[in-house]
Amino acid sequence: MSKHKSSPPDNSHGFSRRSFLKGAGVAATGTAVLNSGLLGQASETHSNVIGPDATSIALNINGSVKHVPVEPRTTLAEALRHELHLTGTKIVCDRGSCSACTVMLDGMPVNSCTTFALDAVDRKITTIEGLGDPEHLHPLQAAFVEHDGMQCGYCTPGMVMSCAALLERNPNPAAADVQQAISGNICRCGTYPKVVEAVLATARSRKGA
Amino acid sequence: MTPVSQETQHQSKKQGVKDESKTVQKKAQETSSAAPPDSRSAELLIGIPGSRDGVKKIQRNVPADEPPQLPPNSELKVIGKRVPRYDGALKVSGAAKYPSDIHLPGMLYARFVNATVPHAKIISVDTSAAEKHPGVKAVHVLQDVLGQAELQDKAKEVPSRYPIVRYAGQPIAAVAATTPAGALEAARLVKVQYEPKPFVVERAKAREPNAPLVFPGPAAEKATAGGGGGASDVPQKGNVRGPNRGRHDAGPKGDVEKGFAGSAAIVEAEYRTQVQTHSALETHGLVADWKPDGLTVYASTQGTMSVRDELAEIFNLPKTKVRVFTEYMGGGFGAKFGASNPGAVAAHLSKKAGAPVRMFCDRKEEQWGTGNRPDAHMYVKAGASKDGTLQALKWISYGTAGVGTGAGSAGPAQNMYDCPNLLVEEYDVFTNAGPGAAMRAPGHPQGVFGLEQTIDALAEKVGMDVLEFMDKNDRSPERREERRIGAEKFGWAQKRRKPNSDPGPVKRGVGVAQAVWYRINSMDSGCEVRIHQDGSVEALSAVQDIGGGIKTVIAEIVAEELGLQPRDITVRVGDTSMPPGPPSGGSMTTTSITPAVRNAAFKAKGRFVKEVASAWRVPAASLRVADGNVSSDSGKSVSFKQAAGAMKTETVSATAMRSPEYGKRDMIFLGGVQFAEVAVDTETGVIRVERVVAVHDCGRPMNILGLESQVNGGILQAISYALFEDRRLDQNTGIMVNPNMEEYKIIGAKDMPQIEVHFIEDYLARSSTDAGGIGEPAKIPGAAAVANAVYNATGVRMYELPMTPARVLTALGKVKQGGIA
Ligand code: FES
Ligand code: FES
């Protein structure tokens, strides 16, 4: 079981040496460690294993560094929601098939429910909260409000993130580009037409500006 | 098409709207037609502007203290315009806290233990290992399973310490632990021993004489808020419950056999629809916080009050000791009324652990057991005379709501067209599958899939354009006008060709289908409006906003009444400590709550004006509140805010409830007509819906922007139902094979057609706002319109949903029958 907040937040490498991987867990979590380039960091602290208990890592979220206790199995979505209470990011299917949990990693939209928190170390994470807040909406968010690109709103943060990432890589999308960009974002309320309107309007007003 | 009252009284556990027509029937006796003694006669505007009959004035009794009728929308400042969503900025920025986002100090995370078999007696539940698991604070074994039918005579079943498992996935126990992962680990440590029983998961098999029995005797579903279902007092034989012959007043009439004998054209066919799951993005669940002085819950629900009532009843608490918050919620579509299993279990766990407990279903659990639209197998026969007058309609349908009831589909057959000879029989078939629940227009998308294809076929047989056939047999003035507008916007006259007109492999065609729904309202609809000394205004009600945008509409009404803008109004809803609010189901939210809001705003304005008048030492009658100002006949004019500063006390406030619908207690209908254009690739069997034009009525439209969104949603859900969605159970294991969001296919953005939505204004002189709902009618006709368009494209009719490529190729004769699942 995790013992949260047991690691000092000033741990320079973001790791506790207290915990060791045991048994069959090694192979699976080892992959995550390798992929994230953490192994090297961990060995500097004379420990080449982390987990299964919680370890504090540093995540660069919305421009500031947050120390978060995570287990090797903790997904980025879980870390954001349960540990940091950044609940704008939703978990809906928890297996990569709905995009409600979309965040940006170094500007690329990813499903945070199928990304290990460990894999997000050393990367720039942008969540919906980092795009704009209610008093200072991102122009895309403002267009979502104006065009009613939401109903219940539960898919909306993921939808906004997918569209924001699209506008980053293509400031001048056609309707079909928007449909492609949100083709993985499931909306049960049926907001797709108004989402497309909102994105096209944002692109138009940026061009005009 | 005959009188039934549509007003509902709030009663504990009677809020479910699983089968709307049944709810309506039950409530019919509860209202009297006597006008209240303190009423006045008013001249009221009625009719559809721009339609054949236009608008006229009628005289009707209204309660004495009702505000004057609002003028048509064209004369209003806020109502009926395009008003952005009240909470839009919070939703798009992730700041809106949904129940599943709530985090309380010390909160525990709970998980269910679910049945792994579809039918069994539970021998034992061993929770000892789970209890010892680190971080586990409470374990609960269910004594009751909510939201499904129950055996009437318990003596018919061998006694069991635990509830009988009747479908795979049924909740058995639950654990609460300090982390989500810990709860999941502990749930896996609970050992359940089963004594398996024979089971059946297919509707057709369950009807066979020697089929395994889901219930060993007659079963019925309690009218729970979770969506209690079918008609009561119908016979049951084996797994088959019925017939239900329809509402007492819209049921059988005439003699269908005579009607068929007198018909020049007869069509007869069987139609089948599949089980559709609600698949709301936020799953069922809540956070329960049991404290010595009462229970507080944050629930993802369509009915704050029904959650409160159900929890109060389960825990034997007064209603005042249960408080439910639903500031936001991530979709319901009919399946989220009561506390249901997650709610009851979370409260038990919180009580045991002495800590708040978060219990939300995971996606699998959501798919298995939290509700679905029952399937249907409909036998339809209809006859018309040479001139296209409907003579007889016979409707026999079987549907399965799994271990629930309410799988009827005859509502449209009974209520859409005039037909002198009508016979309907609806049967529920029990299967070992998760219980059905109300889903956006229960029974109606199914029924319209059969009915509107029948009408299309019958019109063709008598050689009439289907719109002309509808004009002849449909008395609804709303749909008449909607057909006229829709045909023009869609270009029906140019686009409608003979079936199978395209020579190439990709064939285009167009079709039309209609909706019928009912203007239902809940009398438990109240609102308080407060005007404060600083000029700020707030409106309060227990009603919840499920995404339909009622917060925005409430702000509009108060703003309109007080001469302000919607942004000037603070709306606080989704809290049972406020005046009662209706459940959001059956398209009843707007119908129900808006008159209460207006009545409260009107009263509060009266008190406000009195205060200002006395401060100004002028007669109240000389003051006007408009355009952000308060002005007097004497020429004084100050801002609303400044005027409020003159009030003697901090706040003036008024609370009002909804009045009964004005006029006769008869059934009021909602309509809607949708036109679809499709392209069918006859080589691959793929259907693409290219364009939909929808024309709808909802009384007085309150917010065009929000209404468009809801109609878009209805159309997209209908296309998804028509082409993709299908809950599949493995008949060998009884287990759902697609309890997720990738194999349970929901329409995506690339499948959406071009959609055009129009509304008519339909003044009915029934309430102080005259507003109606749109959620259900928007969902009803889409699948049928697509099916009719596919017939028009190919000349081949599709009798079964979803219209997958395999089914299309089979229907076209390109794949042998039986080659499909
Ligand atoms: S929750 Fe991550 S893709 Fe569905
Ligand atoms: S707005 Fe409800 S799921 Fe998209």
Side-chain angles (χ1 to χ4, degrees), chain B residues 270-290:
Chain B
E270 290 177 43
Y271 297 89
R272 289 177 173 81
T273 61
Q274 77 282 34
V275 172
Q276 179 182 32
T277 65
H278 298 68
S279 292
L281 260 60
E282 184 175 41
T283 58
H284 281 67
L286 48 70
V287 175
D289 190 7
W290 186 285

Side-chain angles (χ1 to χ4, degrees), chain A residues 150-156 187-189 191, chain B residues 281:
Chain A
M150 78 205 92
Q151 289 178 49
C152 80
Y154 210 73
C155 72
T156 310
C187 173
R188 192 46 157 168
C189 297
T191 58
Chain B
L281 260 60

